[in-house]
Amino acid sequence: MCSIYTHGYLKTIKTGLLALGISVLSVTMFAQKSSKIPLPSQLEQAYPRIYITQSEKKDLQKTIKKEAWAQEVLKGIHDRIDHYVEQHKTDPEWMVSRLQMYWKTKSTNVYVNGINYSHADGEAPVPTVRFVGSRDYTTPYGTPKLEDIKPYMDDPRGLWLPNRTKEGNPFEWAEISKTGRVIYSINERIIELGRDAAFTYWLEHDPAYAQFAYDIFHTYMEGMSYRSEPIDVLNGHIQTLVGFTNFQVIHENVLIDIAELYDFLHPYIEANHAKHIAMYDTTIKRWIDQIIKNGVPQNNWNLHQAKIILKAAMVLQDNKNYDDNKGREYYIDYILNVTSTRQWSLNKFMDYGYDKSNGVWAECPGYSLGVTKDLTHFMEDFNNTFDHNILPYMPVMETAVKMLPQYVFPNGQTVAFGDSNYAALSTDAFDDMIRIAQKTGDQEMEEDFTGLYKLFSKNSKDGKVRQSKANISSFFASKPLELNPKFKKANLADYVTQTFYAPNVSWHVQRMGTGKDGMMVSLNGSLGNHMHANGINMELYGKGFVQGGDPGKGASYLQPIYLEYYSQFPAHNTVMVDGVSSYTEMLSYHAFELKGEYPKSEQKTGYYKDITYSDVYFLEPETQSDQTRLVSIVKTGETTGYYIDVFRSKKQRGGDKFHDYFYHNLGQTMRIMDTTGNPLPLQPSDEMGFAGGHLYALDYMWDKQSKKTAADYQAEWKIDMPEGEDDVFMNLWMKGTEGREVFSIKSPPNKAFKGNSGLPYEVDKAPYLTLAARQHGPAWEQPFVSVYEPFTSAQGKSIKRVSSFEDENGNSEFVGLHITHKSGREDVVFSSANHKNVKYKDIETDATYTLLGTETNDDWVLFIGNGKQVKANRYTISSTEYGNVVLKQEQGKLMLHNEVPIDISFNNNITTFEEGSLRVINVN
């Protein structure tokens, strides 16, 4: 998506605050009292004005003469356009005829049938601009080279395009509705060439470039002036989304290209074609009005629309020059401060989407990261264009940018639930904040974001970074970023915390460490935009990879496989009830409730670092089922640790048929075994499928094999690395129970990994290997109890044995685990769905989660999650309220972290401790 780059480095540094004659302090106070963002006090009257002004041209020419990077940018532009400009001198119709227009029919009215093009009618006196083929851009047809496009193509058979699904990609006639965005892509490419030529003309004053740019611009704009708003023959939701060239107004980015072209070419047009200026301006205003009229305000659309509107508005004249008084100031104020049905003011948009306490935007990570980046681009562009800093009026933005590292797994990839992908954290938002700080002279802010930039940029050496692309924007705001060498790389621990909870997207993270031996689990519900129907979904990290990864969106979210599989329960690491659990994906309103966690979200000090847990509750709406998931990370050494996962599920009104626990993991192979390592004798099964009234998603899965067993079992996934590298594994031990059936399944590929991310096989083409555990009847007293251990071939597993035990008092809503490690460490784990007192040997507890870990040297740790009364190792801990407590003995010292006041009884003496951070204590 295009950004609105501007010319800040060429201008004399002066902030918009000074231009308005307001001090920084008074602006800050004003911003706190009012949500209205003031307009710039002075607007450039001459052209160009978006990137640069005429008075700054000499400075740019000096920069090009002096700077090698600028010379390379200009050379790249010439290399791209010179051939076509030269050709235009002798064949002025060649490029223009490649525009996708209604050349013969000259249609004015476009009709769509839902998400697909239908037909066009009406007749203008000139050729008009053709509408795109489909909202769904998935198509077998490719965008041809300009040289392969038939001139003046307007044929009832459709478009002459290469079919990418056939050998040799032969050209054939394609029905318009089957061509995705090919029409738009061709036109945008040609308009971009015209824009580059307009800039080159302005810079070098060769009339051949002006003529080339003008012929493209005039043909397109005159044709657009006769086009009307597309009509949906179904009179459906699409009618509220369409623009003049696209099914979605957020994809009208060609208007940005048009505005830039018009800006640089304006003096030439004034001198040679002034009679058309009124038509051009009217067409741009109609186009902006269409973008305002349609769209979706409550998500990233609002911002994408604003970016397009701002750029287009910049080339308009002032309000007073138009009869309707709607000019440049009107539209700038509109996107900043006016709220209409489908275009909200900037502050209403941010108030709706951002959690002000932690800076999380209310969409899945892929879109949330994009919104924050686009907002920082918007602020920086606005500041550079108008010398007007609007950051003080958008105070959540610093918090929003600083929280971005919380999205990151220990290997540097971002979490990817919902419509997201696994990728490195972009530094674009940090870059923008540095530029704003440099321009406004805010050294403290510059130091903060320079540190973050250096932390996440692979090219963050002091001095110039980022090679400039051969785009005109590279001369302006995209010029190489200058980092202040005195500002050091940030400490990651200052920006990520062991737990992090964002209630506005129902997302909770637990993490320990970084790199290959780090650990992290991410849980999400379905709250916000671009979310999936996934219940309590889990992403799991191990030994350098997000092994238990989310599958991505698979294809366009308008494709059946997205709607029926990738966005549904069986594609995720979750529990589905009766084969039917589902609800509305995309904009979803199904959050989990965080019942407990340790440590507290965003806590940075004062806690025990080797154990975390979260306990969440979810109401599965389709079957009215109660679901809880308790997940814990237990670190047992520098390179060792494991995850505990206890998932309970039951229908509120009974009648449970079955509950299915799905877990998908990376790897070329998966083995399902008994606890001694012998393969389970699985048999082919067709029980898990659509037949019987279940989800379509189950029929996308194949090679299903199963076995009913009440015994414990385990599964092992292997990422078979190249020769000379350690193979990577995930081992899953699962408690057996009556009514359990275990499935081995191949699922559709995981599409969330881009470029395979260091994986040794084509993840996006290989089956995603899946274990499913079916509990016939409710899965509350027979929950899914799992221990996950990632390991490598070099180190092997650290866990020697896992077994389970029952409560000696007979609590049926309890599970206990005994985990023996090869090091000799012994862990005893208690998980209870109620607060009844449970007992095992000399341990008693009423907590939701309890762990007693004992080392061979008699060091031990007692972890209590959400409990009041616990007895272990001759200590009795009691409180009047439920809370988290850690008591640890290490080298003869006793340490305590208690989030609630407690009494500790030892040797018949009671010592009272007020709430406190981890510290050394004494008990009598």
Side-chain angles (χ1 to χ4, degrees):
M1 292 168 284
C2 295
S3 298
I4 308 165
Y5 296 102
T6 45
H7 58 288
Y9 88 105
L10 292 171
K11 290 189 176 181
T12 303
I13 294 179
K14 57 183 186 293
T15 68
L17 307 180
L18 293 176
L20 290 167
I22 305 173
S23 71
V24 173
L25 176 62
S26 63
V27 167
T28 303
M29 294 175 62
F30 178 82
Q32 292 171 345
K33 294 178 180 178
S34 172
S35 62
K36 185 175 177 63
I37 302 173
L39 268 64
S41 60
Q42 295 182 0
L43 295 172
E44 178 71 33
Q45 295 300 312
Y47 294 89
R49 56 171 71 154
I50 295 176
Y51 284 123
I52 191 170
T53 64
Q54 185 65 29
S55 63
E56 296 160 342
K57 181 176 179 178
K58 289 183 179 179
D59 289 335
L60 175 57
Q61 290 171 328
K62 290 178 182 177
T63 298
I64 294 172
K65 187 175 181 179
K66 183 176 69 172
E67 299 284 353
W69 66 264
Q71 294 163 19
E72 285 297 313
V73 170
L74 185 58
K75 180 180 181 299
I77 293 171
H78 273 291
D79 289 345
R80 186 164 57 244
I81 66 174
D82 282 2
H83 164 72
Y84 296 118
V85 172
E86 192 64 28
Q87 179 187 49
H88 196 74
K89 293 177 182 178
T90 56
D91 188 0
E93 293 188 16
W94 193 95
M95 183 61 73
V96 173
S97 69
R98 266 65 183 174
L99 284 167
Q100 297 305 291
M101 312 279 286
Y102 296 109
W103 289 107
K104 301 171 184 175
T105 56
K106 302 177 182 177
S107 301
T108 57
N109 307 314
V110 169
Y111 301 87
V112 299
N113 188 342
I115 67 169
N116 296 315
Y117 175 83
S118 175
H119 64 285
D121 63 19
E123 186 173 352
V126 298
T128 54
V129 178
R130 189 188 286 275
F131 192 73
V132 76
S134 177
R135 184 185 181 191
D136 184 359
Y137 294 151
T138 305
T139 174
Y141 298 102
T143 302
K145 298 177 182 178
L146 294 177
E147 289 74 14
D148 293 331
I149 298 171
K150 287 182 177 291
Y152 301 113
M153 184 163 54
D154 185 9
D155 193 290
R157 291 172 291 181
L159 298 181
W160 183 249
L161 300 175
N163 190 326
R164 297 175 298 182
T165 65
K166 295 181 179 180
E167 186 176 354
N169 299 337
F171 276 72
E172 61 188 41
W173 288 106
E175 181 185 335
I176 300 297
S177 64
K178 308 295 185 185
T179 62
R181 64 175 295 149
V182 170
I183 288 170
Y184 176 84
S185 296
I186 294 172
N187 281 344
E188 185 176 43
R189 185 188 305 174
I190 295 172
I191 298 297
E192 286 173 348
L193 291 172
R195 175 203 60 198
D196 290 350
F199 166 76
T200 306
Y201 164 74
W202 172 80
L203 183 68
E204 300 174 353
H205 213 66
D206 183 337
Y209 291 90
Q211 191 64 52
F212 176 81
Y214 179 75
D215 288 349
I216 293 170
F217 176 78
H218 179 75
T219 303
Y220 190 90
M221 289 298 286
E222 187 178 39
M224 184 60 77
S225 72
Y226 287 97
R227 272 284 318 282
S228 59
E229 176 183 0
I231 301 298
D232 180 12
V233 297
L234 300 179
N235 195 31
H237 173 56
I238 291 295
Q239 191 63 67
T240 69
L241 305 181
V242 290
F244 284 146
T245 70
N246 258 289
F247 278 84
Q248 301 175 106
V249 290
I250 58 168
H251 291 153
E252 296 282 65
N253 286 333
V254 72
L255 179 53
I256 293 178
D257 302 321
I258 286 289
E260 293 170 351
L261 191 165
Y262 192 31
D263 190 44
F264 284 113
L265 201 61
H266 210 285
Y268 173 86
I269 295 174
E270 290 177 38
N272 298 280
H273 305 282
K275 64 180 180 180
H276 296 306
I277 289 177
M279 179 266 289
Y280 299 148
D281 286 8
T282 299
T283 301
I284 289 173
K285 280 156 54 73
R286 286 180 60 245
W287 208 338
I288 294 174
D289 289 340
Q290 179 69 16
I291 294 172
I292 289 173
K293 175 178 177 287
N294 281 353
V296 181
Q298 72 272 8
N299 58 30
N300 63 328
W301 281 49
N302 198 81
L303 178 58
H304 295 327
Q305 291 166 232
K307 291 190 302 180
I308 298 169
I309 293 166
L310 178 62
K311 203 63 164 285
M314 280 294 295
V315 295
L316 294 176
Q317 300 172 53
D318 291 345
N319 291 348
K320 64 184 180 182
N321 295 318
Y322 300 106
D323 291 340
D324 62 1
N325 206 38
K326 291 166 59 175
R328 182 167 42 166
E329 310 99 304
Y330 172 84
Y331 289 112
I332 294 172
D333 183 62
Y334 203 102
I335 58 176
L336 293 180
N337 298 309
V338 178
T339 291
S340 54
T341 303
R342 296 186 177 90
Q343 184 66 47
W344 289 352
S345 71
L346 208 54
N347 273 309
K348 177 172 181 177
F349 165 70
M350 291 189 294
D351 287 345
Y352 174 89
Y354 276 115
D355 183 327
K356 290 183 174 58
S357 66
N358 60 32
V360 174
W361 175 259
E363 296 193 72
C364 72
Y367 283 77
S368 176
L369 289 160
V371 166
T372 295
K373 177 187 70 175
D374 287 338
L375 276 167
T376 61
H377 280 346
F378 188 93
M379 290 189 304
E380 197 238 335
D381 294 337
F382 203 94
N383 192 20
N384 284 325
T385 301
F386 300 117
D387 289 332
H388 182 30
N389 182 21
I390 60 175
L391 178 59
Y393 304 92
M394 303 163 67
V396 74
M397 289 311 302
E398 286 198 53
T399 303
V401 178
K402 287 180 179 179
M403 73 73 47
L404 296 180
Q406 296 279 20
Y407 283 112
V408 175
F409 277 101
N411 65 352
Q413 291 179 328
T414 54
V415 294
F417 57 86
D419 292 341
S420 304
N421 295 311
Y422 293 104
L425 182 65
S426 169
T427 56
D428 286 359
F430 308 143
D431 180 309
D432 290 329
M433 297 298 278
I434 293 168
R435 293 176 191 269
I436 292 171
Q438 288 173 343
K439 184 171 174 61
T440 58
D442 189 336
Q443 284 210 350
E444 182 178 351
M445 177 175 148
E446 183 184 358
E447 182 173 8
D448 285 346
F449 291 106
T450 299
L452 274 168
Y453 186 95
K454 289 182 176 182
L455 181 62
F456 287 98
S457 174
K458 294 180 180 178
N459 187 27
S460 61
K461 297 177 182 178
D462 291 345
K464 296 179 180 179
V465 296
R466 186 203 288 173
Q467 185 174 357
S468 298
K469 297 179 181 179
N471 297 327
I472 62 173
S473 61
S474 295
F475 290 120
F476 311 106
S478 284
K479 79 182 186 76
L481 176 66
E482 299 276 353
L483 298 180
N484 190 326
K486 74 178 182 181
F487 297 145
K488 305 304 180 185
K489 182 165 70 173
N491 183 351
L492 183 63
D494 291 335
Y495 293 96
V496 301
T497 49
Q498 195 138 4
T499 60
F500 183 78
Y501 176 47
N504 66 328
V505 286
S506 190
W507 172 49
H508 189 272
V509 169
Q510 302 168 60
R511 58 163 63 86
M512 290 183 190
T514 60
K516 179 178 172 183
D517 295 319
M519 301 183 73
M520 178 167 155
V521 59
S522 169
L523 298 181
N524 70 280
S526 303
L527 180 63
N529 200 39
H530 282 276
M531 300 297 186
H532 294 174
N534 55 224
I536 308 172
N537 178 44
M538 177 176 73
E539 297 170 275
L540 201 61
Y541 179 84
K543 297 301 176 184
F545 299 101
V546 187
Q547 292 200 49
D550 228 42
K553 63 181 181 180
S556 160
Y557 52 75
L558 300 170
Q559 289 286 303
I561 195 170
Y562 170 85
L563 298 170
E564 296 173 358
Y565 176 74
Y566 280 98
S567 65
Q568 299 301 313
F569 271 66
H572 298 83
N573 297 331
T574 190
V575 169
M576 178 175 67
V577 183
D578 287 353
V580 299
S581 294
S582 187
Y583 43 82
T584 303
E585 75 289 327
M586 196 56 66
L587 183 55
S588 191
Y589 295 93
H590 299 285
F592 56 57
E593 177 186 355
L594 182 63
K595 306 287 286 185
E597 66 173 340
Y598 182 87
K600 293 178 181 177
S601 177
E602 300 186 71
Q603 184 174 350
K604 292 185 177 180
T605 60
Y607 59 88
Y608 179 65
K609 296 184 182 298
D610 288 340
I611 297 177
T612 70
Y613 92 101
S614 61
D615 179 28
V616 303
Y617 166 81
F618 182 76
L619 173 63
E620 195 283 282
E622 185 73 11
T623 61
Q624 290 294 291
S625 292
D626 293 325
Q627 296 190 324
T628 66
R629 190 165 204 167
L630 187 149
V631 179
S632 176
I633 303 175
V634 183
K635 200 86 165 93
T636 57
E638 289 295 321
T639 63
T640 57
Y642 62 93
Y643 301 93
I644 297 170
D645 181 25
V646 181
F647 203 129
R648 299 177 184 272
S649 183
K650 67 176 180 179
K651 295 171 73 172
Q652 291 181 348
R653 298 171 184 170
D656 305 62
K657 297 176 183 176
F658 51 83
H659 297 251
D660 290 330
Y661 176 102
F662 291 100
Y663 179 72
H664 313 69
N665 200 89
L666 296 175
Q668 299 99 314
T669 59
M670 176 184 75
R671 298 188 300 152
I672 299 181
M673 305 162 285
D674 62 22
T675 55
T676 64
N678 294 315
L680 279 188
L682 304 174
Q683 297 297 320
S685 172
D686 59 4
E687 286 300 308
M688 190 171 286
F690 167 71
H694 308 138
L695 293 183
Y696 285 125
L698 297 173
D699 277 355
Y700 284 90
M701 308 163 98
W702 72 98
D703 196 11
K704 301 165 190 170
Q705 302 179 66
S706 74
K707 177 177 173 52
K708 293 182 179 179
T709 179
D712 301 342
Y713 50 93
Q714 59 182 329
E716 186 176 276
W717 289 261
K718 178 183 180 181
I719 302 174
D720 193 354
M721 300 297 287
E723 191 72 25
E725 297 182 37
D726 291 341
D727 297 328
V728 177
F729 298 84
M730 180 68 78
N731 184 262
L732 163 61
W733 175 93
M734 247 186 149
K735 182 182 182 299
T737 184
E738 291 296 325
R740 183 63 53 84
E741 185 174 4
V742 186
F743 287 79
S744 169
I745 297 172
K746 289 185 173 72
S747 297
N750 186 313
K751 298 289 189 177
F753 288 92
K754 297 301 181 182
N756 281 344
S757 304
L759 290 159
Y761 68 106
E762 294 183 296
V763 178
D764 62 339
K765 295 182 175 62
Y768 202 15
L769 303 179
T770 305
L771 174 136
R774 172 167 287 182
Q775 184 62 37
H776 294 273
W780 194 265
E781 295 183 355
Q782 291 82 32
F784 302 102
V785 182
S786 308
V787 175
Y788 290 89
E789 184 187 11
F791 65 96
T792 64
S793 55
Q795 295 174 333
K797 289 185 284 188
S798 66
I799 294 176
K800 181 178 181 181
R801 183 175 58 255
V802 182
S803 60
S804 62
F805 57 85
E806 305 296 326
D807 169 34
E808 294 176 11
N809 295 333
N811 184 0
S812 61
E813 296 185 359
F814 166 83
V815 291
L817 299 177
H818 188 179
I819 303 171
T820 303
H821 301 263
K822 292 179 179 177
S823 67
R825 172 177 167 140
E826 301 278 342
D827 290 346
V828 182
V829 178
F830 296 72
S831 172
S832 179
N834 53 41
H835 284 291
K836 292 181 179 179
N837 190 66
V838 296
K839 184 176 186 300
Y840 174 68
K841 296 184 177 179
D842 62 346
I843 306 172
E844 297 182 40
T845 177
D846 69 351
T848 300
Y849 173 50
T850 307
L851 183 146
L852 176 62
T854 305
E855 302 286 356
T856 55
N857 62 358
D858 292 331
D859 285 351
W860 52 265
V861 60
L862 175 62
F863 180 86
I864 302 165
N866 198 24
K868 281 185 179 181
Q869 304 289 329
V870 178
K871 179 190 292 185
N873 277 15
R874 299 185 297 141
Y875 291 87
T876 299
I877 299 172
S878 59
S879 176
T880 59
E881 55 184 301
Y882 291 108
N884 299 327
V885 178
V886 178
L887 186 63
K888 178 176 174 59
Q889 179 176 286
E890 185 173 16
Q891 296 179 351
K893 293 182 179 180
L894 202 61
M895 289 177 283
L896 172 68
H897 176 207
N898 54 312
E899 295 181 352
V900 293
I902 61 169
D903 291 333
I904 296 181
S905 175
F906 181 70
N907 289 339
N908 296 320
N909 292 313
I910 299 175
T911 308
T912 299
F913 295 93
E914 294 300 317
E915 176 183 340
S917 299
L918 187 66
R919 72 272 192 198
V920 175
I921 63 165
N922 291 307
V923 295
N924 296 324

